[in-house]
Amino acid sequence: MTAEELAELGRQAEAAGLNATSPPQESRIEGWLIRLSPGQAKRARCINALEAGTLPVEELLARSARSFHAAGLPLVVRITPFTQPPDLDARLAAKGWPRYDAAEVLVRPQLDDVMGWPLPGGQVLHAVDALEFARQMGALKGSSDLEIQAQAERQSQSRVPYQGFWLRRNTIRGWELLACGQLAQEGEWVGLYDIYTPEAFRGQGHARNLCLALLQQACTQGARRAYLQVGEHNAAALALYRGLGFLSAYRYHFRSPADDLR
C-alpha cells in the first residue's frame, strides 16, 4: 500500500470516527465542531477544528471557551493532521497549552480475510444494548454515574449505530466476562471501540479473540474496512492490533490551557 493510499484511508477513518463519536451536545462555531458531552471520552467533549473559518483564531477560542465553561467542562482542542488552520497546534503550543493523551488511529484496509476464525470452545459473543454496556464498562473502569449516563446517551443517540458485545465463557461457576467491545458501523467502514479485558483475564488472548469476532460480525453486515484508536504509549494494544493486520494511519493529540488541566 502506498503512502498516498494509506493517507486517504486515514482521511476516511477520521470522517467515520467523527460521525461515530457525535454526542447530542454538539454545535458549530464557524468551521469548528464543538462537542460538550460530560462523559469520559475526550473525543466527545472537545473542539474539532475542521475549517479555518473567517473569525480570528483568538476569537474562535474565546467563544469556544465560553461554551465549554458554561457546560462545566475544561476547554479541550483535538489536534489532527486535518486540523484547520494548519498552524493551530503551533499557536496553542506558543500559548503554553500542554500537549497530552496522544493516540494513533489504525486502519485495516480489508476484512475479507477475517472470516473462518472460530472462537475457542465454550466462548460466545453476546450482544448487549447501549445502557447495559455503559453500566458494565463503567463498573469495570470505576466511572461515575454521570459518565456512565453520558456514554449510554451518546451511543444510544448516535447517528452511527453502536453494537455492544461481551465475550463470555461458560464454566461450572457460571458465565465469565472475558472481554468486551463495541462496533460503530457506517457503510463499508466499521470502528472498534471500548475494547477492554478485565484484569483477571488479561494476557490470555481474549482481546484478540474478541476483535476477530467483532470484525467477523461487521463483515457479515457489509463492512469492508475497519479503524480503531489507541493511546500511543499502549504498547500491548498496539502490538495486538498490528498483529491483527491494522496499519498506523495518523496520530492525534489534545491541548488545553494549563488552568483547565488542574
Side-chain angles (χ1 to χ4, degrees), residues 106 230 234-246:
L106 284 72
V230 61
N234 192 341
L238 285 167
L240 165 67
Y241 299 135
R242 287 171 179 153
L244 288 170
F246 282 86

Side-chain angles (χ1 to χ4, degrees), residues 175-196:
W175 286 101
E176 294 177 332
L177 176 60
L178 305 177
C180 50
Q182 296 196 91
L183 299 178
Q185 185 172 345
E186 182 180 19
E188 293 189 344
W189 277 98
V190 64
L192 271 57
Y193 287 89
D194 297 315
I195 305 299
Y196 190 87

Side-chain angles (χ1 to χ4, degrees), residues 122-137:
Q123 295 187 14
V124 297
L125 194 65
H126 176 71
V128 295
D129 65 28
L131 181 56
E132 183 180 357
F133 189 92
R135 285 173 174 167
Q136 182 66 68
M137 281 295 292

Side-chain angles (χ1 to χ4, degrees), residues 21-28 33-39 41 43-48 67-68 71 73 146-147 149-155 157-159:
T21 53
S22 175
Q25 307 89 346
E26 179 178 285
S27 62
R28 283 182 180 260
L33 183 63
I34 310 299
R35 292 178 163 174
L36 300 172
S37 171
R43 297 186 306 273
R45 52 177 179 87
C46 68
I47 296 169
N48 284 280
S67 296
F68 277 82
L73 295 171
L146 177 61
E147 290 167 340
Q149 180 182 353
Q151 179 178 358
E153 177 186 57
R154 174 171 59 84
Q155 293 174 346
Q157 299 183 29
S158 172
R159 57 177 173 259

Side-chain angles (χ1 to χ4, degrees), residues 22 24 35 46 54 72 79 92 123 149 152 163 171-172 190 197 199 225 234 242 247 252-253 258 261:
S22 175
R35 292 178 163 174
C46 68
T54 60
I79 302 292
L92 299 183
Q123 295 187 14
Q149 180 182 353
Q163 303 170 65
T171 72
I172 59 174
V190 64
T197 303
E199 188 172 355
R225 299 179 181 88
N234 192 341
R242 287 171 179 153
L247 307 174
Y252 68 84
H253 59 272
L261 290 177

